[in-house]
Amino acid sequence: IIFWILFFFSSFAASAQLRGFTDKDLKGLAGKWTGTMVYTGEKEQVTFKSILDINDLKDSLVFNYIHVGPDAKMDTVKYAMRIYDEGNMLQFDSSEYYIMAVRRKGVRLVVIAEREGVDISRSADFQITLTIGPGYLNIVKGIRYGDMTEYFIRYRSVFTKL
């Protein structure tokens, strides 16, 4: 009987931890955001002031970024975010990712998604970590090359809702 009690509680805990990432989780993201993006290149790290306008298109979100670098040069980027394949896939950053983990900690949601690709002519694994909470959005893009065991951070964006 102890085995069944332990099995029941471990199954319950696992299902609570693996509850999928859905469109409902994205509804609070629409609106205007402000923050910074720190980009790490091969030889330098650059901090950009960023404005993000997220538009809800019912089946997806459109992210409209304006990044202003230390040289006051403005760069605009636009792409969609969409969840599909029963919550197993994420289109984000102009790429398709497999959703690897969804963690809910109170009002905070952490989503980790991964894909394979190429970075600077090298095969690489890419990882996006989204941390969504009331009034904040953090996006971290990590990269791992074949000869590495850990991801390094290519960019980190931290936004607060206006």
Side-chain angles (χ1 to χ4, degrees), residues 17 103-110:
Q17 204 59 309
R103 297 185 186 118
R104 297 175 190 279
K105 298 178 180 181
V107 296
R108 185 175 62 166
L109 173 68
V110 178

Side-chain angles (χ1 to χ4, degrees), residues 106-146:
V107 296
R108 185 175 62 166
L109 173 68
V110 178
V111 178
I112 300 171
E114 298 179 352
R115 72 173 178 89
E116 295 177 349
V118 176
D119 180 61
I120 312 173
S121 301
R122 292 177 68 185
S123 290
D125 296 323
F126 294 83
Q127 182 181 71
I128 292 285
T129 303
L130 304 169
T131 305
I132 303 168
Y136 67 89
L137 169 64
N138 298 341
I139 305 168
V140 177
K141 183 174 188 176
I143 298 176
R144 176 178 63 197
Y145 299 118

Side-chain angles (χ1 to χ4, degrees), residues 1-156:
I1 193 156
I2 292 174
F3 171 78
W4 289 111
I5 291 171
L6 291 173
F7 177 75
F8 172 77
F9 282 115
S10 66
S11 298
F12 178 77
S15 67
Q17 204 59 309
L18 296 174
R19 197 173 100 212
F21 184 42
T22 68
D23 291 329
K24 281 183 177 180
D25 296 314
L26 302 179
K27 292 302 174 193
L29 292 178
K32 296 199 181 296
W33 300 76
T34 185
T36 59
M37 178 185 73
V38 178
Y39 176 82
T40 304
E42 286 188 70
K43 298 181 187 218
E44 66 180 347
Q45 192 173 66
V46 181
T47 300
F48 295 85
K49 291 184 180 180
S50 300
I51 296 172
L52 171 59
D53 187 14
I54 301 176
N55 300 310
D56 188 349
L57 300 180
K58 304 285 186 216
D59 66 337
S60 64
L61 297 175
V62 175
F63 283 57
N64 296 292
Y65 291 96
I66 298 174
H67 300 295
V68 179
D71 58 359
K73 183 179 174 187
M74 191 177 343
D75 183 29
T76 59
V77 180
K78 179 179 181 175
Y79 58 81
M81 173 191 266
R82 180 172 70 97
I83 303 165
Y84 62 101
D85 191 28
E86 298 179 4
N88 294 312
M89 297 293 292
L90 174 69
Q91 180 184 354
F92 186 71
D93 198 13
S94 301
S95 299
E96 294 183 349
Y97 292 84
Y98 294 96
I99 296 174
M100 306 304 289
V102 177
R103 297 185 186 118
R104 297 175 190 279
K105 298 178 180 181
V107 296
R108 185 175 62 166
L109 173 68
V110 178
V111 178
I112 300 171
E114 298 179 352
R115 72 173 178 89
E116 295 177 349
V118 176
D119 180 61
I120 312 173
S121 301
R122 292 177 68 185
S123 290
D125 296 323
F126 294 83
Q127 182 181 71
I128 292 285
T129 303
L130 304 169
T131 305
I132 303 168
Y136 67 89
L137 169 64
N138 298 341
I139 305 168
V140 177
K141 183 174 188 176
I143 298 176
R144 176 178 63 197
Y145 299 118
D147 58 345
M148 301 169 72
T149 57
E150 301 294 325
Y151 288 89
F152 70 90
I153 296 175
R154 174 65 80 205
Y155 74 77
R156 176 188 312 267

